[in-house]
Amino acid sequence: MRSAFLRAPRILRPRGAMRVVALHCFLLVAMLSAGCEEKLPSKMALRPRGPLLFTNTGKSEVVELAFFDDKGRPYVRKPVATFEGFDSTIIDVSVDPEGTRATVKPKSSGTTEVVVTAFGLEQKLSVVVQLVGSVEIDPTTPKSMKLNGKQHQLVIVVKDDRGNVIPDPKPNFKASDYCVDISPDGLITAQALGECQVSVDVAGKTARHRI
């Protein structure tokens, strides 16, 4: 005797259709992964960009990094930068624990470069250290001058701490009394009878001459 209940038809799923669905899912995941991939910055800038100039050991400079994408927009993720390639006898470079900035301190006179790398980018920072070691007044400078007589240009020689002549020093001239006047560029003019002293100071080093 036949059953009064009808058996439900069986739905067949071809294997080929399952493969197509799996392939579509794989492609969708790949596309989503590509869209979420982070782009690295295309430009790095140093602040200050240099060159750095030091004239005494009491100063230091903090170098910070800034990054931008290919459209010039700031890149906010913090870098892990390296600061290398410099002459450690001229400067000391200390990097903060996060690797995002560095402090440059002078040690002795000379010229060197710091190579900064981050995110596959590279920048070079030039550093010049000119530490004054001595200031000398030309020994032929006269010890006496006549009123209404010829003026005299004071000549000085400034050397760094390694004995090299500094070609363009920034001296400060001064007279101890009213008998002579000395201009900002070192021109001496007799003003009155008497005896006084002229001095020149360059970055804390001083030389004196009596007239």
Side-chain angles (χ1 to χ4, degrees):
M1 189 173 176
R2 291 185 179 181
S3 172
F5 297 99
L6 296 176
R7 184 177 296 176
R10 197 162 116 192
I11 300 176
L12 299 177
R13 297 183 180 273
R15 292 182 179 179
M18 294 295 291
R19 290 176 181 172
V20 171
V21 172
L23 179 61
H24 284 179
C25 291
F26 174 80
L27 292 175
L28 179 61
V29 171
M31 291 174 63
L32 290 175
S33 299
C36 295
E37 184 178 352
E38 184 180 18
K39 291 184 178 180
L40 295 177
S42 59
K43 181 181 178 181
M44 174 172 62
L46 305 180
R47 298 173 180 171
R49 63 182 181 181
L52 303 182
L53 174 62
F54 296 99
T55 56
N56 64 69
T57 55
K59 292 187 178 181
S60 61
E61 192 78 56
V62 176
V63 179
E64 297 182 326
L65 309 179
F67 297 89
F68 305 91
D69 63 15
D70 54 0
K71 295 183 180 179
R73 296 172 299 195
Y75 186 82
V76 296
R77 186 161 72 86
K78 290 183 179 181
V80 178
T82 60
F83 297 77
E84 300 174 328
F86 57 90
D87 188 337
S88 59
T89 66
I90 297 175
I91 59 173
D92 178 68
V93 179
S94 57
V95 185
D96 74 339
E98 295 183 351
T100 59
R101 65 177 66 184
T103 301
V104 181
K105 295 181 179 180
K107 295 173 68 176
S108 64
S109 296
T111 302
T112 187
E113 265 187 348
V114 181
V115 180
V116 185
T117 56
F119 296 125
L121 303 172
E122 179 181 292
Q123 282 275 14
K124 293 182 179 180
L125 176 67
S126 297
V127 183
V128 178
V129 182
Q130 285 185 346
L131 304 179
V132 176
S134 65
V135 180
E136 300 174 0
I137 294 176
D138 187 349
T140 63
T141 302
K143 295 182 179 180
S144 63
M145 298 179 67
K146 292 182 179 180
L147 291 175
N148 302 318
K150 187 178 179 180
Q151 295 173 305
H152 180 79
Q153 177 63 52
L154 194 65
V155 177
I156 63 171
V157 177
V158 181
K159 296 181 180 181
D160 64 21
D161 58 337
R162 297 190 177 190
N164 302 309
V165 174
I166 297 177
D168 189 22
K170 293 178 172 53
N172 294 309
F173 297 100
K174 185 179 179 181
S176 65
D177 209 336
Y178 61 87
C179 64
V180 298
D181 176 75
I182 186 165
S183 67
D185 58 356
L187 185 64
I188 304 173
T189 305
Q191 296 281 79
L193 295 175
E195 185 175 313
C196 56
Q197 184 174 257
V198 292
S199 62
V200 54
D201 179 275
V202 182
K205 300 291 184 179
T206 304
R208 298 175 177 86
H209 180 78
R210 186 167 293 279
I211 301 176

